[in-house]
Amino acid sequence: MLRRNLRYALLSLAGGLAVVLGVQAYLGLSQDPQARPQIPGLLWPNPKPIGEFSLTDHRGEAFGLESLKGQWTFLFFGYTNCPDVCPVTLAVMNHVANQLSEEPAKQDNVQFAFVTVDPERDTQEQLAGFISYFNEDFVGVGGPDDKLVDLTRQLGIVFIRSKPEADGSYLVDHTASILLVNPSGELIALFRAPHDPVEMAQRFDRIRELVKS
Amino acid sequence: MTRNAVWKGQLTALLILTLAGTTATAVESGLVIGEPWVREGPPNARVLAGYMVLRNPTGKIQTVVGASSPAFNSVEMHRTEVEEGVARMREQDQLQIPADGQLALEPGGYHLMLMGAQQSLRAGDTVEIVLELGSGAKLSFPAPVRKGTAQEHAHHHH
């Protein structure tokens, strides 16, 4: 089990590295300062298309590439046994959602998803109870490791599970950034930690405006 | 709030020190606990986080070498670190509070990892937390459970 986990962690890490290098390559292509908008974390004009993947949401419905299309998606990867970073980040995402809902036109077409990198402990039921505490509209997403890495590898998400302690508990290191996927199903921006929800909502507005024009 | 009021608030939030069966004041222990709280989690949360400010009014470095709570199966001291975009929790053998200084346990940084709640905790509940100091003294104090906010983290800069 541990060996399998380690293998996925390494695979995921390798995928992450590939995306990081890819992003650097994209940025290198557009060095003309006038051509590149000064929005931190933005991959535009070279968003990264996401390929097919097959996960399940906290209601038991399929969650794949089609679930990302037609709307903007804020994506965060974590686990429910995470006491500090994950609750803080979900509270940030809830704050962003509330900011957007102050102008009803802006919250249209936006979803927030939390993908567990600890499917063994985060069953559908555990995910459902966890995610709805932060916001009833948020989506919890999970799936077995082989399905999970189909997505994490593409997005450069890293997760590394620690060796279990005597009582079976373990920690999971994971990417702290929140990802933004556009309605075409392409990774378009990264929001790095620590997150300021007000700034994030503003940055999201700028990104949407920019892409529209 | 005036400085004096803050100080009073901290003292009223305090603490009973048990040292070899006797009770001493917080100041005698060499450590003052400020604004302790536990972040409310989802009803099915298996782990919660505890935060506070540890102030050391003495001229000597103070250490916390362990933590426990009757409300949880076990408590560990951790620090969240974000390196290269990856969040890691690292267990700490001890926390060091510099002489005449302080150490903040706050979202996104040092925190107590509270595992296995004896019962589901809601905002408004209070739990007891016990810190074991390097001196061997034990510091026991109540920590209210409350909802976290999204903004706490944004002010966390080093």
Side-chain angles (χ1 to χ4, degrees):
Chain A
M1 172 56 64
L2 183 63
R3 186 177 295 169
R4 198 187 73 194
N5 288 343
L6 188 65
R7 188 159 58 96
Y8 285 123
L10 290 174
L11 279 174
S12 195
L13 197 63
L17 210 58
V19 169
V20 168
L21 293 173
V23 168
Q24 280 171 352
Y26 283 137
L27 295 178
L29 285 175
S30 51
Q31 293 219 325
D32 177 2
Q34 295 211 306
R36 203 170 90 213
Q38 297 301 306
I39 301 180
L42 181 66
L43 307 190
W44 191 86
N46 298 96
K48 182 187 163 29
I50 300 171
E52 295 287 342
F53 63 96
S54 173
L55 295 167
T56 308
D57 76 14
H58 68 277
R59 292 170 297 245
E61 315 254 329
F63 191 94
L65 182 58
E66 284 307 308
S67 317
L68 299 177
K69 289 190 171 170
Q71 58 190 328
W72 293 87
T73 306
F74 286 88
L75 263 184
F76 180 64
F77 293 76
Y79 64 117
T80 74
N81 275 39
C82 159
D84 185 47
V85 170
C86 302
V88 169
T89 309
L90 285 165
V92 165
M93 285 167 67
N94 181 49
H95 196 110
V96 173
N98 290 340
Q99 291 266 124
L100 298 176
S101 69
E102 284 172 15
E103 292 174 68
K106 287 189 181 172
Q107 68 169 336
D108 265 10
N109 238 15
V110 182
Q111 68 175 337
F112 294 82
F114 172 74
V115 183
T116 178
V117 291
D118 185 14
E120 202 161 302
R121 287 184 294 190
D122 290 343
T123 59
Q124 186 185 324
E125 188 188 357
Q126 174 72 15
L127 260 183
F130 190 79
I131 195 70
S132 61
Y133 168 80
F134 294 96
N135 189 312
E136 300 247 314
D137 294 327
F138 282 12
V139 185
V141 179
D145 275 340
D146 56 335
K147 305 282 189 199
L148 177 61
V149 295
D150 282 345
L151 180 61
T152 56
R153 271 208 301 230
Q154 300 190 57
L155 297 176
I157 297 298
V158 178
F159 61 95
I160 303 163
R161 298 177 190 136
S162 71
K163 188 167 166 268
E165 291 179 33
D167 63 359
S169 68
Y170 55 91
L171 301 173
V172 188
D173 301 343
H174 57 91
T175 298
S177 302
I178 296 171
L179 278 53
L180 180 65
V181 178
N182 70 18
S184 305
E186 301 165 324
L187 175 64
I188 191 162
L190 290 172
F191 299 92
R192 294 191 169 277
H195 301 108
D196 175 345
V198 175
E199 187 277 332
M200 272 183 67
Q202 288 166 350
R203 214 193 309 174
F204 176 51
D205 272 352
R206 289 171 63 201
I207 292 171
R208 266 201 303 201
E209 280 304 308
L210 181 79
V211 171
K212 213 194 297 174
S213 60
Chain B
M1 215 185 333
T2 66
R3 194 179 213 167
N4 195 28
V6 173
W7 184 244
K8 261 192 210 155
Q10 283 157 7
L11 284 179
T12 49
L14 289 180
L15 341 157
I16 301 152
L17 173 79
T18 19
L19 177 55
T22 63
T23 314
T25 67
V27 175
E28 283 171 56
S29 81
L31 206 57
V32 180
I33 311 292
E35 307 97 48
W37 65 286
V38 170
R39 175 187 289 275
E40 183 195 68
N44 64 351
R46 301 190 188 101
V47 290
L48 299 177
Y51 306 104
M52 69 202 68
V53 180
L54 303 171
R55 294 191 179 85
N56 177 6
T58 75
K60 284 190 307 191
I61 191 167
Q62 302 282 339
T63 58
V64 176
V65 297
S68 62
S69 168
F72 296 90
N73 289 340
S74 63
V75 180
E76 292 176 356
M77 303 183 292
H78 280 262
R79 182 181 192 182
T80 297
E81 299 166 354
V82 179
E83 285 171 18
E84 304 288 323
V86 177
R88 303 186 160 89
M89 283 210 309
R90 290 289 170 256
E91 187 171 1
Q92 308 289 308
D93 293 334
Q94 62 169 22
L95 304 177
Q96 295 196 343
I97 303 95
D100 298 310
Q102 65 176 45
L103 180 74
L105 278 61
E106 59 190 352
Y110 288 103
H111 59 275
L112 298 182
M113 183 175 176
L114 310 162
M115 292 171 284
Q118 302 291 333
Q119 58 187 64
S120 185
L121 295 167
R122 302 264 54 95
D125 291 343
T126 300
V127 297
E128 187 189 358
I129 289 178
V130 183
L131 297 183
E132 189 183 337
L133 310 189
S135 63
K138 284 190 173 170
L139 208 50
S140 172
F141 52 92
V145 179
R146 66 170 171 85
K147 287 181 186 294
T149 71
Q151 294 285 20
E152 288 149 354
H153 197 54
H155 300 300
H156 175 74
H157 295 291
H158 287 290

